[in-house]
């Protein structure tokens, strides 16, 4: 930094609205006190001191604030590099530290650093960090461990008011089990939902809300206890989640109720949803009953055991049901779609039978297929919300039904890891199981067609901007790019894994995994280990390569020659040549010959891999992976001339 920068003071102000319960006496725990609003002078002094140091342009003044380095220090260093390159020209700096808690020895909170340009553009970084006392000064410490709490949510008792269009009013009675001495609990709740109260044992509980982070200071207890949180707000305008006069959709992916960061864990859910007359509310789990309440109805749902999350669909819906393989199948459809229910009940039974015979019993007692009018399919627990048109067009329903039902198995465990790793084990696997189902139902050509289409979609992205390693893929940005990586590329990688270990070992790995780890949290290493146990083969290099590297191999056959052998046989020799850093891949080679094509697998490990094939009849052409079984770029068929 080579110039002095003007200073804009950023004072810390923590505001909290008055306590509020749900309207009409719907809240069962009234009298919520206000949120804790204490703003400590240490936080102000720390923020102002850091801002003045940054604005001075003197790196020696800034460095002491970051003795441990960390993301905030790295971000600031990157901005200084931007300034040297001329891509950032800040006129003022703003620094804010908003604490979740302040103690004599340290504090934790959100540190926000903003570089303001004269044009009005602002470049900001926000970090959840701890700050520690060093003599008379405060310095930036480690990142807050938002995803490693010393407490676990065992149960959510949710009370929802869905009668107000555009607004959600809610109360969540959390049953919390302490598991360590740390009394801090960080929960995730959408920034558009304002917490109006947190109560334990009839008294206000210290809490603060910063963006999507809700901090609770838990009471001292050796036994499970309850905390009631009331909140209200509107769903994001750009999201499919909504509360309207016609109905509501609250997906489990949208943090519309408080849950943990990273792996939220499994919990029991009880839901009481209030809807206007003529509307029905459907939640994950089993229907308990319905009660009349003032100008609406309260629908009660509960999960029979812990699940990864819950979702709500409400609207004018009619119900039909059937039973298959011990599972109750339900359809909930909007007016005019009743005739489609029979087909969904029959197809749902067939899908459950296919997956159940291979991967174990369906993890839920009920499968509910809901006419929710979404843009795409959606699954939460034992409920599926299908896209608009699925109940009018059979081909649309067929494109999503088996895939969403497969998520009943893939989401019977919880996942840790990067977003890309988690999506590979859920979305990618569900997409691949859907291919296997259609191949079983409609024949091998149907399976091949779906696999080829996935290859084509990823092929359009391969090598372009946004083509990331699966483990580094992020759901932000274009939805199509995310689906291409997580669903299409993930499914092709899983097809290679199935070819590598064999169909029976592939099925056994999933069956054993879901039976032994249901309701638990696993990572990519656990997922990989399941296939290693089932196949007796080490799979570390396979997972490291196909999830850790972007792109795909590009190879061509060269120096292909053929010579006649005794006894009417022929020998084909040549090389498979890769460009760039070599990949390790089993490449299917198909030889067209008299009497029909012959399939050979060649293990490619180097930039140039020689191969020798013995063919019992006269060959006419060499094809490299014509069935698109592997994640390699298409190549030109090689004619063979004698």
């Amino acid at each position: 930094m080579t110039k002095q920068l003007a200073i804009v003071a950023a004072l810390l102000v923590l505001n909290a609205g008055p306590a509020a319960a749900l309207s009409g006496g719907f809240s069962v725990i009234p009298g919520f006190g206000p949120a804790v609003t204490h703003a400590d002078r240490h936080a102000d002094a720390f923020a102002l001191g850091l801002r003045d140091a940054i604005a001075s342009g003197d790196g020696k003044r800034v460095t002491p604030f970051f003795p441990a380095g960390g993301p905030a220090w790295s971000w600031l260093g990157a901005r200084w590099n931007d300034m040297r390159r001329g891509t950032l020209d800040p006129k003022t700096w703003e620094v804010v530290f908003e604490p979740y808690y302040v103690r004599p020895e340290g504090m934790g909170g959100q540190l926000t650093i903003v570089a303001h340009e004269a044009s009005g553009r602002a470049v900001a970084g926000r970090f959840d960090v701890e700050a520690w006392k060093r003599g008379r000064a405060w310095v930036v410490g480690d990142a807050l461990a938002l995803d490693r709490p010393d407490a676990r949510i065992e149960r959510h008792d949710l009370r929802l008011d869905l009668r107000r269009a555009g607004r959600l009013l809610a109360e969540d009675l959390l049953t919390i089990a302490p598991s360590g001495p740390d009394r801090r609990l960080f929960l995730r709740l959408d920034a558009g939902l304002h917490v109006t109260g947190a109560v334990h044992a009839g008294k206000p509980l210290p809490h603060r809300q910063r963006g999507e982070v809700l901090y609770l200071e838990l009471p001292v207890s050796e036994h499970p206890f309850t905390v009631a949180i009331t909140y209200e707000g509107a769903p994001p305008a750009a999201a499919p989640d909504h509360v309207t006069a016609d109905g509501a959709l609250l997906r489990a992916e949208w943090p519309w109720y408080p849950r943990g960061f990273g792996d939220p864990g499994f919990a029991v859910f009880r839901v009481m949803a209030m809807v206007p007359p003529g509307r029905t509310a459907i939640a994950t789990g089993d229907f308990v009953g319905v009660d009349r309440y003032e100008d609406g109805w309260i629908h009660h749902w509960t999960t029979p055991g812990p699940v990864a999350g819950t979702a709500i669909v409400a609207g004018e819906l009619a119900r039909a049901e059937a039973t298959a393989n011990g599972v109750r199948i339900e359809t909930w459809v909007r007016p005019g779609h009743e005739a489609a229910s029979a087909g969904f009940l029959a197809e749902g039974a067939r899908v459950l039978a296919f997956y159940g015979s291979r991967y174990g019993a369906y993890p839920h007692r009920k499968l509910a297929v809901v006419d929710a009018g979404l843009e795409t399919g959606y699954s939460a627990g034992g409920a599926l919300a299908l896209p608009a048109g699925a109940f009018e067009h059979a081909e649309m329903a067929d494109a999503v039904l088996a895939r969403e039902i497969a998520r009943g198995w893939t989401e019977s465990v919880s996942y840790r890891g990067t977003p890309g790793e988690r999506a590979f084990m859920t979305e990618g696997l569900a997409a691949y199981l859907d291919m296997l189902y259609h191949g079983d139902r409609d024949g091998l050509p149907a399976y091949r067609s779906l696999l080829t289409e996935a290859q084509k979609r990823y092929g359009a992205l391969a090598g372009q901007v946004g083509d990331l390693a699966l483990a580094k893929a992020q759901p932000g940005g274009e939805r199509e790019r995310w689906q291409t990586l997580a669903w299409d590329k993930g499914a092709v990688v899983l097809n290679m894994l199935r070819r590598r270990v064999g169909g029976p070992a592939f099925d056994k790995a999933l069956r054993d995994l879901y039976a032994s780890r249901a309701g638990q949290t696993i990572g990519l290493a656990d997922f990989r280990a399941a296939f290693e146990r089932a196949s007796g083969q080490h799979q570390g290099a396979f997972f490291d390569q196909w999830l850790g590297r972007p792109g795909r191999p590009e190879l061509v056959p060269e120096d292909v020659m053929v010579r006649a052998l005794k006894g009417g046989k022929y020998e084909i020799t040549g090389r498979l040549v890769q460009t760039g850093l070599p990949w390790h891949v089993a490449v299917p080679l198909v030889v067209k010959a008299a009497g029909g094509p012959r399939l050979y697998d060649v293990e490619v490990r180097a930039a140039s891999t020689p191969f020798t094939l013995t063919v019992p009849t006269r060959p006419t052409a060499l094809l490299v992976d014509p069935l698109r079984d592997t994640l390699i770029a298409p190549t030109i068929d090689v004619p063979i001339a004698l």
Side-chain angles (χ1 to χ4, degrees):
M1 299 174 65
T2 59
K3 58 183 178 181
Q4 297 293 321
L5 303 175
I7 300 174
V8 172
L11 299 178
L12 176 65
V13 180
L14 303 179
N15 296 318
L22 293 176
S23 62
F26 189 50
S27 172
V28 298
I29 303 182
F32 282 20
V36 175
T37 60
H38 175 63
D40 192 274
R41 61 184 176 85
H42 296 306
D44 291 338
F46 168 61
L48 293 173
L50 177 57
R51 182 211 60 198
D52 291 345
I54 296 173
S56 72
D58 185 355
K60 293 182 179 179
R61 289 185 56 187
V62 180
T63 303
F65 281 89
F66 299 91
W73 176 243
S74 299
W75 180 89
L76 193 58
R79 301 294 76 74
W80 286 343
N81 288 334
D82 292 341
M83 293 172 64
R84 295 188 186 99
R85 290 194 296 264
T87 57
L88 178 65
D89 184 20
K91 301 302 180 184
T92 61
W93 288 88
E94 178 183 5
V95 177
V96 176
F97 186 80
E98 299 181 283
Y100 298 118
Y101 59 86
V102 179
R103 295 167 184 157
E105 73 283 359
M107 53 188 176
Q110 280 193 350
L111 173 65
T112 304
I113 306 174
V114 188
H116 293 278
E117 294 187 312
S119 64
R121 186 174 78 107
V123 179
R126 175 172 289 176
F127 315 93
D128 290 296
V129 296
E130 292 179 302
W132 297 101
K133 196 71 176 291
R134 292 290 185 269
R136 295 184 178 181
W138 291 82
V139 299
V140 179
D142 298 328
L144 281 174
L146 303 181
D147 59 346
R148 295 190 296 275
D150 267 5
R152 177 173 53 85
I153 299 175
E154 292 186 332
R155 176 165 154 170
H156 295 262
D157 283 87
L158 285 157
R159 297 163 174 83
L160 312 174
D161 190 340
L162 304 177
R163 297 174 299 169
R164 300 186 181 185
R167 197 147 192 89
L168 168 68
L169 282 80
E171 175 185 274
D172 191 357
L173 183 65
L174 304 172
T175 301
I176 299 175
S179 57
D182 193 345
R183 294 168 55 198
R184 299 172 301 175
L185 179 61
F186 295 93
L187 300 175
R188 185 178 177 220
L189 184 68
D190 187 81
L193 300 174
H194 174 60
V195 173
T196 55
V199 166
H200 165 66
K203 298 180 180 179
L205 190 70
H207 72 279
R208 291 187 179 95
Q209 189 177 12
R210 301 283 177 267
E212 282 199 346
V213 182
L214 172 61
Y215 167 74
L216 299 177
E217 187 143 340
L218 301 179
V220 177
S221 176
E222 296 180 357
H223 306 286
F225 56 89
T226 59
V227 174
I229 299 174
T230 54
Y231 54 97
E232 60 179 271
D241 309 275
H242 61 269
V243 178
T244 67
D246 295 327
L249 170 66
L250 307 176
R251 300 170 303 148
E253 285 85 346
W254 178 50
W256 61 271
Y257 62 88
R259 82 280 301 274
F261 278 85
D263 169 29
F266 282 65
V268 174
F269 287 83
R270 292 185 60 186
V271 175
M272 297 169 55
M274 181 182 296
V275 293
R279 301 292 184 264
T280 298
I282 304 166
T284 305
D286 297 332
F287 178 64
V288 177
V290 60
D291 297 322
R292 184 66 187 262
Y293 183 84
E294 294 182 355
D295 60 340
W297 296 89
I298 302 176
H299 294 260
H300 302 258
W301 294 79
T302 186
T303 60
V307 296
T310 190
I312 304 290
V313 176
E316 187 177 355
L317 301 167
R319 176 175 176 270
E321 71 170 80
T323 301
N325 299 322
V327 178
R328 186 173 72 255
I329 308 175
E330 301 174 346
T331 58
W332 297 82
V333 300
R334 291 178 291 178
H337 293 167
E338 294 85 355
S341 289
F344 279 100
L345 294 174
E347 181 65 2
R350 192 188 192 289
V351 175
L352 289 174
F354 174 80
Y355 292 146
S357 65
R358 288 159 177 79
Y359 316 121
Y362 186 58
H364 308 283
R365 298 189 303 192
K366 177 200 71 178
L367 169 64
V369 181
V370 185
D371 182 5
L374 297 175
E375 293 183 3
T376 185
Y378 171 74
S379 171
L384 314 178
L386 296 190
F391 287 80
E392 299 172 349
H393 306 288
E395 66 277 8
M396 184 179 294
D398 190 56
V400 297
L401 184 62
R403 185 188 71 222
E404 297 305 323
I405 293 177
R407 291 176 62 178
W409 279 268
T410 66
E411 296 180 354
S412 63
V413 296
S414 185
Y415 299 90
R416 61 176 174 268
T418 67
E421 290 171 345
R422 298 198 302 269
F424 170 73
M425 294 182 283
T426 54
E427 304 287 2
L429 181 54
Y432 184 57
L433 297 185
D434 173 74
M435 294 179 184
L436 293 174
Y437 169 75
H438 281 88
D440 179 80
R441 190 193 69 180
D442 302 327
L444 187 59
Y447 169 77
R448 290 293 177 194
S449 175
L450 292 171
L451 188 63
T452 299
E453 289 302 315
Q455 285 268 29
K456 289 180 179 179
R457 287 189 292 269
Y458 174 67
L461 177 65
Q464 306 299 315
V465 174
D467 180 15
L468 303 173
L470 273 171
K472 295 182 179 180
Q474 297 286 337
E478 297 180 5
R479 178 178 177 83
E480 183 177 351
R481 181 189 63 83
W482 167 250
Q483 289 185 345
T484 297
L485 289 171
W487 297 10
D488 297 326
K489 185 176 183 180
V492 178
V493 170
L494 286 160
N495 178 67
M496 290 191 293
L497 178 62
R498 187 169 181 267
R499 292 187 77 248
R500 179 181 175 88
V501 303
F506 185 89
D507 292 349
K508 176 176 171 52
L510 295 178
R511 183 169 59 251
D512 292 349
L513 179 69
Y514 298 140
S516 63
R517 301 299 294 272
Q520 301 178 33
T521 300
I522 68 169
L524 187 63
D526 304 296
F527 189 78
R528 183 194 72 215
F531 291 94
E532 291 178 334
R533 287 191 297 269
S535 65
Q537 304 170 4
H538 179 65
Q539 305 294 346
F542 178 90
F543 277 82
D544 290 345
Q545 174 178 263
W546 294 111
L547 275 80
R549 287 185 63 178
R552 60 182 178 176
E554 295 187 9
L555 50 83
V556 294
E558 293 186 359
D559 302 331
V560 177
M561 301 178 65
V562 60
R563 68 186 184 94
L565 302 177
K566 293 180 180 180
K569 296 181 180 181
Y570 293 82
E571 181 183 79
I572 304 173
T573 59
R575 296 183 300 130
L576 292 176
V577 179
Q578 298 192 65
T579 58
L581 184 66
W583 296 71
H584 177 195
V585 55
V587 180
L589 298 181
V590 173
V591 178
K592 286 186 175 181
R598 297 268 176 172
L599 173 64
Y600 303 83
D601 275 347
V602 175
E603 290 286 337
V604 173
R605 300 174 183 268
S608 177
T609 302
F611 63 86
T612 299
L613 311 177
T614 301
V615 187
T617 57
R618 182 179 182 276
T620 58
L622 178 69
L623 288 63
V624 179
D625 192 17
L627 298 178
R628 307 299 303 277
D629 268 320
T630 58
L631 197 68
I632 63 176
T635 188
I636 299 174
D637 298 342
V638 179
I640 297 176
L642 291 176

